[in-house]
Amino acid sequence: MEPYVLLLYLVVAFAMFLVPQKIKGVKPIIPALLHFGAFIYFITRIPAISKGTITKQSFAWIPELSLNIEFTLDGLSLIFALLITAIGALVFLYAKAYMKSYEGRSRFYFYLSVFSGAMLGLVLSTNLIQFFIFWELTSVLSFLLISFFNEKDSARRAAFQSLFITTFGGLSLLAGIILIDNIADSYNLSDWIAHAEQIKASKIYLPALLLILIGIFTKSAQFPFHFWLPGAMQAPTPVSAYLHSATMVKAGVFLLARLNPVLGGTDEWTHIIPVIGAITMLVGSYLSITQKDIKAILAYTTISALGLLVLLFGIDTNLSVKAAMVFLFVHAFYKASLFMIAGYIDKKTGTRDIDSLGGLARILPYGFGVAAIALLSMAGLPPLLGFIGKELIYEAKVQSPGLGFLVLIFGVVSNILMVTISLYFLFKVFMGKALTHIKRPKKIDLYYLAGPASLAFLSLALGLYPDFLSGLIEPAIEVIRVEIVQIKLKLWHGLNLVFLLSLLTVISGVLIFLLIYKKNKLLRGWRKLNDRIFYINFSDVFLSGIDRFVGYSGKNTKLIQHGYHRYYILTIILFTSLLLWLQIFITRDWQLDTKFTLQPFYISGLIGIMMLAAIYSAISRSRLNTIIAMGITGYGISLIYLYYSAVDLAITQIIVETLTIVIFVLVLQKLPKFATLSKKSTRLRDAAIALAFGGVMTILALKAIHVDFNLPISDFFIEKSYQEAFGKNVVNVILVDFRTLDTLGEITVLSVAAVGVYVLLKKKTKKL
Amino acid sequence: MNSVILQIASKYIRAILLIFAVLALLRGHNQPGGGFIGGLLAGLSVVYTSLAFSATNIEQKLKIKPAHYIGIGLFIALISVLPGLWAVGTLFQGVWTTIPLPFGSVLKIGTPLLFDIGVFFTVIGVTLQFFFTLSNKE
């Protein structure tokens, strides 16, 4: 079924352009329904999956290279598919309201549909090459989505930045995949899992792991690649909501989970990944506090959340994976709804600056309610799903082996900051003095609020009855850990260390919040401090690096592509003759045929005349004379052909020579008067090069006589040309029968050359 | 050039060149000749006439433009490789058939000849295109 769902996505995406003008307003409803339908389909698969049935489908593509199209729906992909389709449906509903006033909406819906289809394809693929194709597809489409407002310079820059970084990671990932293919001899994930021990023991395990991790870290915006994600908020808000919650950045986390059974469990895995994750987590939550743009605040908290997910998959215990899977839901729910709320606020108030917002609770009460639930879930307060997630995370960190203590401190600090920023967001935007210039809308903005409200409701409902999630998460953990794990999720865990940590987190978070909320000066000072410490902006460094690279390449390209035709020719001839001389010198086979006869005398005489003509053409001061002299050599060659009974060649040579002379003469009329422009040294240089090339060709010709071909190919043609092609003229038979494809190519090239001459001479181009 | 002798001679030479061109094309499979040579000869006949009169004059009088010759030639050459697919199942495979003629003789005709005709027209077109483009005084 799954491939057909993907096909449907593609069809619907293209159909976006065909929707009649009259019903344009309901256009986003179509993909929303598609997503909803797909969501229902995946819901119906839950019972089968939790019983352990895994559906697989594969189509042969290039089986010789072990490239096949393989789709699998198991516990892990099911969870992601559910998130992608559910949030996708809500995002399209939201986009209906949000994108109302923008031009090019059809294009937007097209991109977004293909994007979600690519993401769905990514989570369902188990052939790694196919997976990589979908992976890159999401990069390219996110580029198109981020640059959707392409009239804005900042949007274009951000889009390019994210494209550069994610495709750089993509290439690295591809290299890693190929390295592992060298060990497992397959691109199929189940083959990889079967060879897991062999892969981990191999010498190229570490390079492969690092390459794949670069792919994952760039995609999931891990430190130090995190800076593209805040830039991505240049995208229309529905995209941000989707990109940050269920797609794109989650692709890296997904891959980390997917490859856990193949690469996980080693020392390298449990040391590199948690460190990067922990740093990212702390950096994200720390930087979120001093942001002013509410979308930027959300973007940095996403970075923090992604760091946390990576950290948990890196710790790689049953508990941590369980915590990661729960937190995946937690984050997707609150982040999608908060982004939608941020866009809603932006649309209603015209600003996203947190300093100029306030008192929105009275103006947008429904938005306030939804945002409050989502923010409290982000802060990890009971009775929301976020609380359960945080408890599990603490539990996993407390029990994590190795770096446990450090990770725990990082986690607690980061969570304190998350509590602070959640509360600050809530109070700054919705409490306090009301903005006077905005009126309370008369209707509930249904399309704006449907999405965030249902996600907030899910956060609350699943927080109260978390065991619904167990059935979903168990099969996923089974896929990741390759063992059966029974889990039980509940809100209240009793009074233990974890709860005490939670209490500590909340109290400290609230305290910091009160400090910066009451004393605005404090936050301002903090911002100033951050500006000073982090005055080097990662994305500026990156962009200037790119600029410098482009400048460097430009300079070097000019050195080689200087545009002087004579030097191109000079370089080619010089290089070729030097290489040939070198080869002759290396073989040192000086056996040359010098026993050529001077009989019959007229051929020797002819050659003498040709040589004289050639020399004359080089030293003559008149163009016409030069051409005539060159003609003499040409006709002479055709006579030699004739003597050795190559009649076809001779005829062709004569006609071509005639035409060449005529055309040369025609061209001459257009040239300026003859003048000696070259210096004597230049001419000496040219003479030397000509001698070098001519000499090597002569020696090659003399040596060629001694080269023995095992079987002259001419015998075959002479024998077969009448038998099989019914022709006695071997040359012609080769041209039109044995080598038809070559001839077809040649006449095509000729035609292209004719077009080229026409364009070069006839078309009036602007002066460069 | 404005030579009366050349102008009058060109009429006959043109006719002879064209006859030779077609002859070379048709007999090419068994004797020296073929589409390439035939095409060059036919192109040469026009070039020769152009030298006697003026190139722009002749170019305007051409019923079929050089570019069209190229197109026709490539099209014929492409078409000629298709019968193989239909008859034998392989592209580019030559297909031959015999047509009985009066007085007991037979004519063997096949797709290689058709292909040669395609080459013939392409070469005419390319030659003339080169020639007229370069002879254009501007």
Side-chain angles (χ1 to χ4, degrees):
Chain A
M1 255 311 263
E2 289 75 33
Y4 305 107
V5 174
L6 289 180
L7 222 55
L8 206 60
Y9 265 77
L10 204 60
V11 171
V12 169
F14 279 104
M16 289 283 84
F17 292 110
L18 301 173
V19 177
Q21 199 72 38
K22 268 186 204 163
I23 51 168
K24 273 248 163 91
V26 297
K27 193 181 251 193
I29 302 295
I30 301 166
L33 282 176
L34 170 74
H35 277 85
F36 191 67
F39 177 66
I40 296 296
Y41 165 72
F42 286 118
I43 288 271
T44 60
R45 304 293 306 159
I46 294 178
I49 297 283
S50 44
K51 272 192 214 108
T53 342
I54 290 173
T55 47
K56 285 184 182 176
Q57 255 146 337
S58 70
F59 307 90
W61 178 19
I62 315 173
E64 292 82 5
L65 296 173
S66 80
L67 288 184
N68 292 307
I69 304 201
E70 288 155 327
F71 293 100
T72 301
L73 187 66
D74 55 15
L76 182 62
S77 43
L78 179 68
I79 284 184
F80 278 87
L82 284 173
L83 284 177
I84 293 164
T85 48
I87 295 180
L90 299 176
V91 162
F92 269 106
L93 281 185
Y94 178 78
K96 174 174 162 39
Y98 188 88
M99 299 300 289
K100 209 177 227 163
S101 54
Y102 292 111
E103 285 295 308
R105 269 165 297 164
S106 304
R107 194 161 54 92
F108 178 77
Y109 297 133
F110 170 74
Y111 290 157
L112 200 58
S113 301
V114 181
F115 180 64
S116 59
M119 190 63 204
L120 201 55
L122 184 147
V123 298
L124 293 172
S125 304
T126 42
N127 185 295
L128 268 295
I129 294 291
Q130 177 198 347
F131 175 90
F132 171 76
I133 292 169
F134 281 119
W135 174 281
E136 287 299 272
L137 209 54
T138 59
S139 289
V140 172
L141 284 158
S142 74
F143 165 75
L144 293 170
L145 285 168
I146 293 169
S147 66
F148 184 73
F149 297 134
N150 51 24
E151 69 279 1
K152 277 198 291 185
D153 186 47
S154 56
R156 293 200 302 270
R157 282 176 90 85
F160 269 116
Q161 182 175 289
S162 74
L163 185 72
F164 282 140
I165 293 170
T166 50
T167 47
F168 159 71
L171 285 179
S172 160
L173 170 70
L174 181 63
I177 290 173
I178 291 169
L179 277 187
I180 294 186
D181 167 66
N182 273 345
I183 313 171
D185 198 25
S186 163
Y187 290 112
N188 187 308
L189 189 77
S190 27
D191 289 343
W192 282 22
I193 295 173
H195 288 86
E197 290 313 311
Q198 204 183 329
I199 291 170
K200 281 178 213 170
S202 131
K203 245 187 252 167
I204 50 177
Y205 166 74
L206 188 61
L209 176 71
L210 288 177
L211 286 170
I212 290 177
L213 283 183
I214 289 175
I216 289 170
F217 290 163
T218 49
K219 195 82 162 180
S220 281
Q222 297 296 300
F223 183 86
F225 306 110
H226 62 280
F227 54 91
W228 71 263
L229 192 57
M233 72 185 177
Q234 295 290 342
T237 304
V239 177
S240 307
Y242 203 25
L243 197 124
H244 284 256
S245 61
T247 56
M248 182 75 177
V249 294
K250 289 282 167 71
V253 176
F254 171 79
L255 183 61
L256 208 54
R258 256 278 175 257
L259 292 182
N260 194 320
V262 182
L263 303 170
T266 59
D267 279 352
E268 291 93 332
W269 178 282
T270 48
H271 281 89
I272 301 169
I273 302 174
V275 169
I276 297 287
I279 294 173
T280 310
M281 173 175 76
L282 199 59
V283 166
S285 52
Y286 178 76
L287 288 178
S288 71
I289 289 194
T290 50
Q291 297 302 316
K292 288 179 188 161
D293 183 343
I294 50 178
K295 266 179 97 175
I297 293 176
L298 294 174
Y300 278 103
T301 55
T302 302
I303 293 176
S304 175
L306 290 169
L308 177 59
L309 283 170
V310 167
L311 164 69
L312 288 173
F313 279 115
I315 293 174
D316 198 22
T317 59
N318 281 345
L319 211 55
S320 78
V321 170
K322 173 180 154 194
M325 293 318 287
V326 173
F327 187 67
L328 194 69
F329 283 97
V330 175
H331 176 247
F333 290 164
Y334 78 67
K335 194 47 61 74
S337 57
L338 281 179
F339 260 112
M340 292 192 209
I341 290 288
Y344 179 54
I345 292 170
D346 187 14
K347 282 276 160 185
K348 291 292 161 193
T349 64
T351 179
R352 293 199 313 240
D353 187 350
I354 197 161
D355 283 342
S356 42
L357 287 166
L360 285 182
R362 265 165 282 164
I363 302 164
L364 307 169
Y366 299 103
F368 166 63
V370 171
I373 298 175
L375 282 167
L376 292 181
S377 186
M378 176 157 111
L381 293 178
L384 294 150
L385 191 58
F387 175 70
I388 300 171
K390 198 185 54 185
E391 296 275 295
L392 283 173
I393 291 160
Y394 277 164
E395 203 177 340
K397 283 176 187 161
V398 169
Q399 298 179 3
S400 80
L403 303 154
F405 188 65
L406 192 71
V407 164
L408 188 64
I409 292 175
F410 273 45
V412 171
V413 173
S414 161
N415 265 328
I416 291 172
L417 294 170
M418 288 295 257
V419 172
T420 307
I421 192 63
S422 305
L423 292 177
Y424 186 71
F425 189 114
L426 188 63
F427 279 81
K428 193 78 190 55
V429 173
F430 291 100
M431 299 298 166
K433 242 199 306 181
L435 297 173
T436 47
H437 64 282
I438 300 156
K439 282 190 190 123
R440 187 173 169 166
K442 290 198 181 78
K443 288 183 289 181
I444 307 168
D445 299 293
L446 197 62
Y447 283 109
Y448 276 120
L449 290 172
S454 36
L455 290 172
F457 170 75
L458 271 177
S459 291
L460 190 62
L462 289 174
L464 293 171
Y465 304 100
D467 221 33
F468 278 124
L469 280 182
S470 310
L472 260 181
I473 290 175
E474 266 171 28
I477 298 178
E478 197 184 319
V479 172
I480 301 167
R481 300 284 304 163
V482 208
E483 57 183 289
I484 293 170
V485 181
Q486 294 282 336
I487 59 169
K488 194 114 185 85
L489 295 173
K490 49 185 190 242
L491 195 59
W492 179 245
H493 279 77
L495 210 62
N496 50 15
L497 178 62
V498 171
F499 183 74
L500 286 178
L501 276 174
S502 269
L503 212 58
L504 174 75
T505 311
V506 172
I507 290 169
S508 329
V510 171
L511 279 179
I512 300 177
F513 155 69
L514 284 176
L515 270 177
I516 58 172
Y517 186 62
K518 294 286 174 208
K519 293 212 169 108
N520 216 337
K521 225 191 263 172
L522 206 65
L523 185 63
R524 241 176 279 150
W526 196 348
R527 277 180 189 158
K528 234 178 237 164
L529 184 75
N530 266 6
D531 283 348
R532 198 158 300 160
I533 303 173
F534 304 107
Y535 72 98
I536 303 173
N537 202 331
F538 269 72
S539 81
D540 290 346
V541 173
F542 178 78
L543 285 173
S544 83
I546 290 283
D547 282 349
R548 219 169 279 174
F549 176 71
V550 169
Y552 175 79
S553 328
K555 223 180 272 169
N556 277 295
T557 310
K558 249 182 206 159
L559 205 68
I560 302 162
Q561 302 285 333
H562 40 64
Y564 290 104
H565 185 249
R566 53 181 177 279
Y567 293 126
Y568 290 143
I569 299 281
L570 199 81
T571 316
I572 292 167
I573 287 181
L574 195 65
F575 195 68
T576 313
S577 50
L578 281 181
L579 274 185
L580 287 172
W581 275 120
L582 184 72
Q583 181 59 33
I584 288 170
F585 179 74
I586 289 170
T587 45
R588 280 182 222 184
D589 178 16
W590 296 113
Q591 197 183 12
L592 299 177
D593 196 333
T594 46
K595 287 177 293 183
F596 47 83
T597 59
L598 294 170
Q599 297 292 331
F601 77 94
Y602 46 86
I603 289 294
S604 323
L606 184 64
I607 289 170
I609 293 171
M610 281 164 64
M611 282 163 82
L612 285 178
I615 292 168
Y616 180 73
S617 73
I619 57 171
S620 161
R621 302 298 306 264
S622 148
R623 285 202 186 104
L624 204 57
N625 289 355
T626 309
I627 288 164
I628 291 169
M630 276 164 68
I632 291 173
T633 52
Y635 286 121
I637 289 172
S638 70
L639 287 177
I640 294 173
Y641 285 150
L642 204 58
Y643 177 72
Y644 287 105
S645 55
V647 188
D648 284 273
L649 280 181
I651 300 175
T652 314
Q653 174 77 23
I654 289 175
I655 304 173
V656 169
E657 200 59 50
T658 312
L659 277 171
T660 317
I661 292 176
V662 170
I663 289 175
F664 255 130
V665 172
L666 288 173
V667 175
L668 276 192
Q669 298 173 341
K670 297 185 179 177
L671 292 178
K673 280 213 153 191
F674 196 88
T676 315
L677 293 172
S678 50
K679 277 183 272 179
K680 202 168 183 185
S681 58
T682 322
R683 269 177 284 156
L684 275 175
R685 180 199 66 195
D686 291 350
I689 292 168
L691 266 180
F693 192 63
V696 85
M697 290 319 280
T698 312
I699 289 185
L700 281 184
L702 290 176
K703 280 167 80 86
I705 300 168
H706 285 288
V707 179
D708 275 335
F709 293 111
N710 292 341
L711 251 181
I713 198 162
S714 47
D715 289 351
F716 167 84
F717 285 124
I718 290 166
E719 190 186 331
K720 298 280 178 185
S721 69
Y722 194 71
Q723 284 174 15
E724 299 198 346
F726 315 111
K728 286 176 190 149
N729 179 359
V730 181
V731 178
N732 189 266
V733 167
I734 292 174
L735 281 179
V736 299
D737 198 303
F738 290 135
R739 295 239 174 265
T740 320
L741 184 60
D742 292 0
T743 314
L744 197 61
E746 276 154 26
I747 56 174
T748 313
V749 169
L750 261 183
S751 315
V752 174
V755 174
V757 168
Y758 181 79
V759 172
L760 269 177
L761 294 180
K762 278 268 170 98
K763 192 149 186 266
K764 294 228 160 63
T765 43
K766 280 181 218 150
K767 279 216 162 154
L768 286 173
Chain B
M1 254 179 283
N2 219 341
S3 149
V4 180
I5 299 174
L6 197 63
Q7 286 178 355
I8 292 173
S10 80
K11 279 185 192 171
Y12 301 101
I13 291 175
R14 183 175 72 214
I16 292 167
L17 274 174
L18 276 175
I19 291 166
F20 267 114
V22 176
L23 264 181
L25 165 70
L26 292 180
R27 65 174 218 156
H29 210 53
N30 290 316
Q31 277 145 338
F36 195 81
I37 291 171
L40 282 175
L41 280 171
L44 205 56
S45 74
V46 180
V47 172
Y48 190 73
T49 322
S50 306
L51 287 180
F53 298 92
S54 92
T56 21
N57 219 341
I58 299 297
E59 190 181 8
Q60 277 159 7
K61 280 190 181 157
L62 278 183
K63 296 228 166 55
I64 306 171
K65 298 278 166 262
H68 295 170
Y69 276 110
I70 298 178
I72 293 165
L74 283 177
F75 182 71
I76 294 175
L78 267 178
I79 289 292
S80 78
V81 304
L82 296 179
L85 188 67
W86 165 68
V88 209
T90 327
L91 268 181
F92 296 105
Q93 177 77 50
V95 179
W96 291 86
T97 173
T98 38
I99 299 168
L101 290 178
F103 312 115
S105 57
V106 284
L107 176 68
K108 271 187 137 182
I109 194 162
T111 53
L113 180 67
L114 197 61
F115 183 79
D116 231 2
I117 294 174
V119 175
F120 179 76
F121 282 116
T122 315
V123 172
I124 293 180
V126 171
T127 313
L128 295 185
Q129 184 76 67
F130 279 159
F131 177 73
F132 286 125
T133 314
L134 288 166
S135 67
N136 203 327
K137 285 179 206 159
E138 261 176 60

